[in-house]
Amino acid sequence: MAEPTRRKSEDIPVLDIENLAVAYKVRGGEVEAIQNVTLDIKKGESHGIVGESGCGKSTCAWSIINFLGANGYVKRGTIKFQGKNLVGKKGEELRRLRGDQIAMVYQDPMQSLNHSMVLGEQLKEVLTVHQGMSNKAAEKDCIRMLEKVQMPDAANVMRRFPHQISGGQQQRVVIAMALLNNPALLLMDEPTTALDVTVEAAVLDLIADLRKEFNTAIMYITHDLGVVARVSTRVGVMYAGEMVERATVEELFKSPQHPYTQGLMRCVPKLGTDRSSSILYPIPGRVPPPGGRPAGCVFWPRCDYVRKRCREERPKLRSIAGTETWVRCHFSEDIDMGSWEPPEDLVLPGTVQKKEVDETILEVKGLKKYYRVRGNSLKDVFGMGEKQYVKAVEHASFKVPRGKTLGIVGESGCGKSTLVKTIIGLERATDGEARFLGFDITNSISARDRKLIQELQMVFQNPDSTMNPSYTVGQQIARPLKRFNVMPKEKITDEVLRLLRSMRLDEKYYDRLPRQLSGGEKQRVGIARALASHPDLVLCDEPVSALDVSVQAAIINLLLEIQEEFGTTLIFISHDLSVTRFFSEYVCVMYLGQIMELGPAEEIYAPPYHPYTEALLSAVPIPDPTAKQKRVRLQGVVPSAIAPPSGCRLNTRCPRREMLPDPDICLTDPPWREVHPGHHIYCHIPLDELRKIDPVVSIKEVNHAG
C-alpha cells in the first residue's frame, strides 16, 4: 500500500482554522459566540472578514491569540498556525508566539499604546525582549520601520508620547510595532474605522505594500465592503457566529451567493450614484444574540427566500461547483440577485413628490470661529504674551435652500463640526453673519428666542453622550414636546409613540432605558428627539459613521423619508463621500477651516475638481474590486490651525501645484472661481486646466448589481 502523500511545507497555510467554536461561561451555563468557523490564510494573502456587529468577527481573531478573557474558551475545533495546533497553548510559549510570529493591530491605537512611555521605548521593547537585540541596534531598526510606514520625521517621533501625534500616526506606530519582528501572521481588527478617508487610504496602501514586501498573511476584520474590495484577496462573510460565505474577492463582489452577502451589497451607496438613480435596501431585523439564535439556518428570520427546510435544518458550508466559493445556504444555486425585489411592506424614500421651494432658510457670510490658545510661560499666565488663536473656521459663506440637504466633507480638524456647532449656538461666532429664517444666530444660544431654538435641532455622532442613562426613551423624546409646548400635555404620549413608529420602533421601546438599545436604535431615538419639536433645520454631525451598513442604510432612508414628508432642511456632516453623494443635493468641501469647493453634488463629483476634492474622491474605498480609481494621495500631515500656511492652505500638500507655471502663486490667496452658477472652486489653477483632468473613478466600471 502506497504511503499517503505528505503536504509540502510551502503549501501549509500560515493559519488553518477548522470547525472552530468559542464559548463563554455565563450564569446558568454557556453561550457559543462563534461556531463552525472554517478558514485558511496562506503566505502573502490578505483574508477579509466582514459582517455586522455581533457576528463574531473579533472573537474569531481573539481566539487565535487566546485573548478570550477568564470566561472564554475554545470549545471545539482546531486553530493551526504553521501546521501546529494553538488550542491549549498557554503561558510563556503562547506569549513568545504572540509577540514574535503573530501580531495584532486593534481598532483604537490609543488602547494599544502606553500613555506614560515615549513611543521609542515601546517600539524598542519589541526587539529587545523577543530578539535580545541591543538598545542601539533596536533604535535603528525602529526608525527604519517607522520610515517604511511613511512616518514623517521618524527619529523625532521616537521621542514623543502617544498624545503628541495624530490618530493616523498613532495607527502607523502600532502597525510598525506589529511588523518589527516580521510576523508570519498579522491580525487587524478594524484598524482604519476611526481614521479620515485620506489617512485610511494611506494605511490601506501601506498594508498592501507590506503584505507584498514581507509576504505576511493578514486577517483583516471590517464592516466596510469598500475596504474589503481594496485590501483583500479572499473574503469570509460572518453572520451570527458562523461563516456563511467564503470566496475570492472578485467572485464575492461579482456573484455573491448567500442571501446575507447580497443584502449587505444592497445596503452600500456606490460612489457616483445618488438617491435618484439608486436606492439603499436595509436588511430587516437584527443579528440574533448568541443565546437566542433560531433553529435551522440562523439567517432565516431576515431572509427573503426562506422556505420550510431553512427553519428546520442547519445548512452546512459547501462548495459551489466551478468556483472557489463556499456557502452555507440550502438554495444558493436557485437565488438570482438580479431578479430580487424588495418586500412589499418595505417603506422607502422617493414615494413623496417634493415641492420645489425657492427660499433660502440659512445664509452664512464670512463666518469665523477662533479659539484663544494660552501658553505656559509667565507672560502668557499674566496675559502679556502674544495672543495666538486656533483658526477653526474662516470666511465660511454659503446658502442652504429650504427642504434641501447640504453635505459637508473634509478631514478631521477641517472645521466641519465647529461650523455646525457655531450655527446651532454651542459655539459663539468670532465674526461674520449667520441668518436663519431671517434672524441673526451668531449671538449666544442663551440670548436666542425659544421659538428659534425649537426650529433648529441637532443629531450628534455619539448618541450615548447625549442620552441620559437614567431616563426612559419615552421621557427623553417627550422632553422637547413639553419644553416647547408643541401640543397639549394629554397628547404628548401619543405623539411620542407616533415618533417611535416613524423611526421603525414600536411602543415597547417607550419604557426602555438607553442601555437596553443597540447603537442603531439609540441613533433612531436621537433623531426622534431632534424631530419632536418639528424643526425647520436639522444639523446631523456624522450620524451614521459608527453604524453597521444595514443600520446605516435604514437611518439614511429614514432621514430622506422625513425630509420628503415634512420638508425638513438638513446639514449633513460626514467623512464618507459615498454616503454624502447619495444623501445630499449640495456639497461643501472644507480644508483647515476654509471652504475649498461648493456646489451641487452632481458637479462636485465630476471634473473640474478642486485638487483637495480630487484627493478625497481618490481615497474613498469603493465596494467593487473591478472599479477603476486614480491614485491621488496628499503628502505630509495637516498643518496647524494656529499657524496655517499663507495663501492657499492646501499648498503644502497639494498634488496639483506643479501644474502652475509659477507654483509660488499658491502662497497668495486664490480666486473664488465660478464653474457654473452656484458651483465655486477656491484655487489658482485655471478651470480649463482642471477640466482636462480625468475623472477619479470610471463610473461605467462600477458594478451596480442589485
Side-chain angles (χ1 to χ4, degrees):
M1 185 175 178
E3 187 175 332
T5 304
R6 297 189 66 180
R7 205 172 189 178
K8 294 180 181 179
S9 59
E10 59 266 26
D11 294 334
I12 297 174
V14 174
L15 179 68
D16 192 357
I17 297 176
E18 191 168 347
N19 295 321
L20 178 67
V22 172
Y24 285 89
K25 294 177 183 178
V26 296
R27 185 179 298 175
E30 65 175 21
V31 293
E32 290 190 5
I34 61 173
Q35 52 193 1
N36 308 318
V37 172
T38 297
L39 65 89
D40 63 87
I41 309 176
K42 299 178 177 65
K43 280 185 179 181
E45 184 177 59
S46 178
H47 196 299
I49 307 290
V50 297
E52 295 169 279
S53 297
C55 283
K57 306 185 299 294
S58 295
T59 302
C60 186
W62 293 341
S63 66
I64 297 167
I65 54 174
N66 196 22
F67 192 55
L68 296 171
N71 64 329
Y73 64 98
V74 175
K75 185 176 180 179
R76 60 180 177 273
T78 59
I79 304 172
K80 290 183 179 180
F81 173 68
Q82 295 181 332
K84 297 179 181 179
N85 195 0
L86 296 181
V87 177
K89 286 190 184 294
K90 295 179 181 178
E92 183 64 21
E93 183 181 11
L94 184 60
R95 189 184 71 82
R96 285 200 309 270
L97 200 63
R98 282 192 299 212
D100 188 15
Q101 298 180 56
I102 303 175
M104 188 160 184
V105 178
Y106 297 91
Q107 179 174 349
D108 183 1
M110 286 299 278
Q111 297 290 333
S112 307
L113 297 170
N114 189 326
H115 301 248
S116 62
M117 291 175 63
V118 294
L119 295 166
E121 294 302 316
Q122 299 182 58
L123 285 159
K124 287 187 291 184
E125 190 177 50
V126 175
L127 297 173
T128 55
V129 171
H130 290 285
Q131 294 189 22
M133 195 177 287
S134 70
N135 192 66
K136 190 174 182 180
E139 182 161 357
K140 286 184 179 179
D141 275 16
C142 290
I143 293 173
R144 192 180 304 120
M145 184 57 73
L146 285 175
E147 289 171 346
K148 279 186 180 293
V149 299
Q150 300 168 22
M151 176 68 73
D153 199 10
N156 280 326
V157 167
M158 294 279 286
R159 295 192 289 271
R160 295 177 190 168
F161 287 91
H163 70 272
Q164 293 176 310
I165 60 175
S166 70
Q169 289 175 333
Q170 289 168 9
Q171 196 62 283
R172 293 183 193 210
V173 169
V174 173
I175 293 172
M177 193 181 298
L179 290 168
L180 275 171
N181 282 327
N182 191 13
L185 177 64
L186 182 60
L187 309 174
M188 311 193 84
D189 189 1
E190 303 259 20
T192 62
T193 298
L195 303 181
D196 285 319
V197 66
T198 51
V199 179
E200 177 184 58
V203 171
L204 295 181
D205 291 343
L206 170 66
I207 292 167
D209 293 341
L210 294 175
R211 177 174 63 84
K212 295 174 184 176
E213 181 177 350
F214 292 95
N215 205 25
T216 304
I218 297 174
M219 175 187 282
Y220 195 101
I221 295 169
T222 182
H223 67 269
D224 191 327
L225 292 171
V227 171
V228 165
R230 181 174 287 185
V231 303
S232 302
T233 50
R234 285 194 294 162
V235 185
V237 182
M238 289 193 71
Y239 179 76
E242 291 187 338
M243 189 73 72
V244 296
E245 185 167 0
R246 287 184 63 214
T248 65
V249 69
E250 292 82 9
E251 285 182 342
L252 187 88
F253 283 89
K254 181 181 179 182
S255 181
Q257 296 295 310
H258 197 280
Y260 178 60
T261 312
Q262 296 176 7
L264 290 177
M265 300 285 188
R266 288 190 287 264
C267 291
V268 184
K270 314 293 192 302
L271 190 66
T273 62
D274 57 26
R275 60 175 114 174
S276 64
S277 61
S278 180
I279 298 175
L280 303 183
Y281 297 99
I283 304 172
R286 57 191 292 185
V287 180
R293 291 171 185 147
C297 174
V298 291
F299 188 63
W300 78 255
R302 305 175 73 188
C303 184
D304 296 319
Y305 307 98
V306 61
R307 303 182 193 177
K308 185 173 183 291
R309 184 183 176 189
C310 304
R311 295 183 174 93
E312 298 174 349
E313 181 185 340
R314 182 67 58 93
K316 295 181 179 180
L317 192 68
R318 58 189 180 84
S319 62
I320 301 295
T323 70
E324 295 183 51
T325 299
W326 292 70
V327 64
R328 195 182 297 276
C329 177
H330 294 304
F331 307 107
S332 59
E333 287 87 349
D334 302 335
I335 297 171
D336 178 14
M337 184 177 178
S339 62
W340 177 87
E341 293 184 0
E344 292 181 1
D345 60 346
L346 182 63
V347 179
L348 294 169
T351 55
V352 179
Q353 187 66 36
K354 293 175 68 174
K355 295 180 180 178
E356 293 296 328
V357 181
D358 186 17
E359 178 189 352
T360 297
I361 192 171
L362 175 70
E363 183 173 8
V364 174
K365 291 182 180 179
L367 193 69
K368 292 183 180 181
K369 177 58 188 175
Y370 289 2
Y371 295 98
R372 175 77 186 276
V373 179
R374 296 186 183 274
N376 296 320
S377 68
L378 284 175
K379 284 186 177 182
D380 290 316
V381 170
F382 290 102
M384 299 166 60
E386 182 183 351
K387 292 182 179 180
Q388 290 187 314
Y389 297 92
V390 173
K391 298 173 181 178
V393 177
E394 196 154 30
H395 305 300
S397 299
F398 57 86
K399 295 179 181 179
V400 183
R402 179 180 286 276
K404 302 293 185 180
T405 301
L406 171 69
I408 304 179
V409 298
E411 297 169 283
S412 295
C414 72
K416 306 187 299 293
S417 295
T418 302
L419 174 61
V420 166
K421 288 177 182 176
T422 304
I423 291 170
I424 203 169
L426 295 176
E427 301 286 357
R428 189 165 186 170
T430 304
D431 195 10
E433 285 185 58
R435 303 191 72 82
F436 171 62
L437 295 173
F439 295 94
D440 181 14
I441 55 172
T442 53
N443 55 359
S444 171
I445 194 170
S446 60
R448 289 187 186 177
D449 181 82
R450 180 180 293 187
K451 183 66 177 175
L452 202 60
I453 296 173
Q454 177 183 344
E455 299 294 350
L456 193 60
Q457 293 293 315
M458 187 162 182
V459 179
F460 295 87
Q461 179 176 358
N462 183 4
D464 282 316
S465 64
T466 59
M467 295 182 72
N468 191 321
S470 303
Y471 285 80
T472 66
V473 165
Q475 289 172 319
Q476 300 197 48
I477 297 176
R479 189 172 186 276
L481 294 171
K482 296 175 182 176
R483 172 74 173 158
F484 298 116
N485 298 318
V486 175
M487 57 187 54
K489 288 184 179 180
E490 62 272 14
K491 294 184 178 180
I492 286 178
T493 300
D494 290 339
E495 177 64 9
V496 172
L497 292 174
R498 187 193 70 79
L499 284 165
L500 284 172
R501 285 191 291 270
S502 71
M503 299 295 124
R504 311 285 179 265
L505 301 172
D506 58 36
E507 57 272 9
K508 295 176 185 176
Y509 285 85
Y510 187 95
D511 294 316
R512 290 187 184 178
L513 293 168
R515 61 180 172 80
Q516 297 173 301
L517 308 180
S518 69
E521 288 168 344
K522 289 175 187 175
Q523 195 60 283
R524 292 181 193 211
V525 172
I527 294 170
R529 185 175 57 185
L531 295 171
S533 65
H534 302 171
D536 279 331
L537 176 62
V538 178
L539 311 175
C540 303
D541 189 1
E542 302 259 19
V544 297
S545 63
L547 303 179
D548 288 320
V549 290
S550 181
V551 179
Q552 174 182 282
I555 295 293
I556 290 172
N557 284 346
L558 184 61
L559 287 169
L560 291 176
E561 184 188 341
I562 289 165
Q563 186 177 45
E564 290 175 348
E565 184 176 354
F566 299 106
T568 309
T569 308
L570 299 170
I571 293 181
F572 187 86
I573 291 178
S574 178
H575 67 269
D576 188 329
L577 275 77
S578 302
V579 171
T580 306
R581 172 70 182 99
F582 180 86
F583 194 76
S584 309
E585 284 101 350
Y586 301 92
V587 175
C588 169
V589 182
M590 291 189 70
Y591 177 77
L592 207 59
Q594 287 190 338
I595 295 175
M596 294 298 186
E597 187 166 4
L598 176 67
E602 64 270 14
E603 294 189 26
I604 296 286
Y605 286 74
Y609 310 112
H610 188 283
Y612 182 60
T613 307
E614 182 187 22
L616 291 179
L617 292 170
S618 174
V620 177
I622 298 175
D624 182 356
T626 65
K628 292 184 178 179
Q629 186 176 22
K630 280 198 308 186
R631 190 177 184 277
V632 181
R633 298 289 183 261
L634 297 175
Q635 300 300 316
V637 296
V638 180
S640 169
I642 297 176
S646 58
C648 176
R649 293 192 172 180
L650 186 67
N651 77 74
T652 58
R653 305 173 72 203
C654 182
R656 296 285 179 187
R657 186 175 175 183
E658 298 306 316
M659 288 179 65
L660 291 162
D662 179 16
D664 287 344
I665 196 175
C666 295
L667 301 178
T668 62
D669 290 337
W672 188 236
R673 300 182 188 275
E674 186 174 53
V675 183
H676 294 113
H679 180 195
H680 293 81
I681 293 177
Y682 188 61
C683 184
H684 283 291
I685 302 172
L687 292 177
D688 288 342
E689 293 299 317
L690 292 176
R691 287 190 179 98
K692 294 176 184 176
I693 297 173
D694 293 331
V696 170
V697 181
S698 299
I699 302 300
K700 63 181 180 181
E701 298 290 339
V702 179
N703 181 4
H704 295 284

